[in-house]
Amino acid sequence: MADLKERIARRCAKEFEDGDFINLGIGLPTQVADYVAEDIMVTFHSENGFAGIDAVVEDEKDLDVDIINSGGFYVTALERVKYFDTAESFGLVRGKHVKATVLGAMQVAENGDLANWIVPGKKVAGMGGAMDLCAGCPQVIITMLHTQKGAPKIMKECTLPLTAERCVSKIITEMGVMEVREDGIWVTELHPDYTKEEIQAATACELHFDPNMKAMEEE
């Protein structure tokens, strides 16, 4: 699965422009920072209190035990990094100073509803900052595998408890890129590994295919 998650993270990194201030959620979204083009400056926000996340630490010589992202992983930081307390961090989110948040999901409904915080009956560490991020960020981008053990994650309606209603603007999976519009979910990019029939079969609501749909790029 690692190669598929890398595919998703690489494609998501193409969403950003020079000067963007972007929040990265836990899990797959944290990988996005590894693939941003070198010729643009994007600042990544972590709700536990800093702006200027770089890559996840892979070499122990780069490890600083005081620099941990919101998912609990050690990361490196850019020279321009700024640290602040949680109140200021969420003030930036609630004040709509963060252009977009990249989140994972358990389910996304065709109207943009998001469920990503709990499966009833299972223990969770807590809700985290997802509700604030969905309410405070102008764009909510979901990065996830298209299915979970073969079960669709893009639904007609979410069956799990909602994190937020009608908040998702874009979904990026290993199969393609989809926009949530007023009339449903539109596929704007389809990965060459899949057909229209295959992405539809892996989805539990009707997909619309944009007339200008193009091939999803990995690089």
Side-chain angles (χ1 to χ4, degrees):
M1 289 298 183
D3 59 331
L4 296 182
K5 290 182 177 181
E6 180 180 323
R7 173 191 296 177
I8 296 165
R10 284 183 179 278
R11 174 57 189 80
C12 184
K14 292 178 173 290
E15 291 292 306
F16 310 128
E17 300 175 346
D18 190 49
D20 280 351
F21 187 33
I22 307 293
N23 171 270
L24 296 180
I26 65 173
L28 196 163
T30 62
Q31 297 181 32
V32 174
D34 297 353
Y35 303 111
V36 173
E38 294 183 358
D39 60 345
I40 64 172
M41 184 179 73
V42 178
T43 302
F44 290 111
H45 167 271
S46 186
E47 63 260 34
N48 59 314
F50 69 106
I53 305 171
D54 202 0
V56 174
V57 172
E58 294 183 356
D59 190 329
E60 287 193 2
K61 69 179 178 61
D62 298 322
L63 178 64
D64 183 332
V65 296
D66 292 322
I67 305 178
I68 301 172
N69 66 18
S70 58
F73 293 97
Y74 294 112
V75 292
T76 53
L78 302 174
E79 290 186 1
R80 64 177 185 274
V81 65
K82 300 295 181 184
Y83 300 99
F84 32 76
D85 62 24
T86 303
E88 185 171 353
S89 180
F90 279 93
L92 290 168
V93 173
R94 294 169 184 173
K96 300 189 183 300
H97 301 292
V98 182
K99 178 180 178 180
T101 181
V102 182
L103 300 173
M106 298 172 186
Q107 293 178 342
V108 180
E110 66 176 348
N111 68 348
D113 288 352
L114 171 65
N116 79 340
W117 78 279
I118 192 171
V119 175
K122 293 190 177 182
K123 291 183 179 180
V124 292
M127 186 171 290
M131 287 186 171
D132 278 279
L133 291 163
C134 289
C137 296
Q139 299 175 42
V140 176
I141 301 170
I142 299 300
T143 54
M144 65 179 186
L145 293 171
H146 206 95
T147 61
Q148 177 68 27
K149 296 181 179 179
K153 297 171 69 175
I154 301 175
M155 318 286 289
K156 182 75 174 175
E157 295 181 358
C158 293
T159 58
L160 295 173
L162 295 184
T163 304
E165 296 180 346
R166 297 178 178 272
C167 63
V168 176
S169 50
K170 184 168 289 190
I171 306 166
I172 302 174
T173 76
E174 77 278 14
M175 297 182 109
V177 179
M178 290 143 278
E179 293 181 359
V180 181
R181 303 176 184 174
E182 288 294 325
D183 55 350
I185 296 177
W186 287 76
V187 182
T188 57
E189 297 179 26
L190 182 64
H191 195 276
D193 285 353
Y194 305 96
T195 64
K196 290 181 178 180
E197 292 75 19
E198 287 173 328
I199 193 173
Q200 180 61 77
T203 306
C205 66
E206 181 183 0
L207 293 174
H208 308 281
F209 296 90
D210 193 286
N212 298 315
M213 183 181 74
K214 60 182 182 179
M216 176 179 168
E217 299 177 0
E218 293 186 50
E219 297 296 335

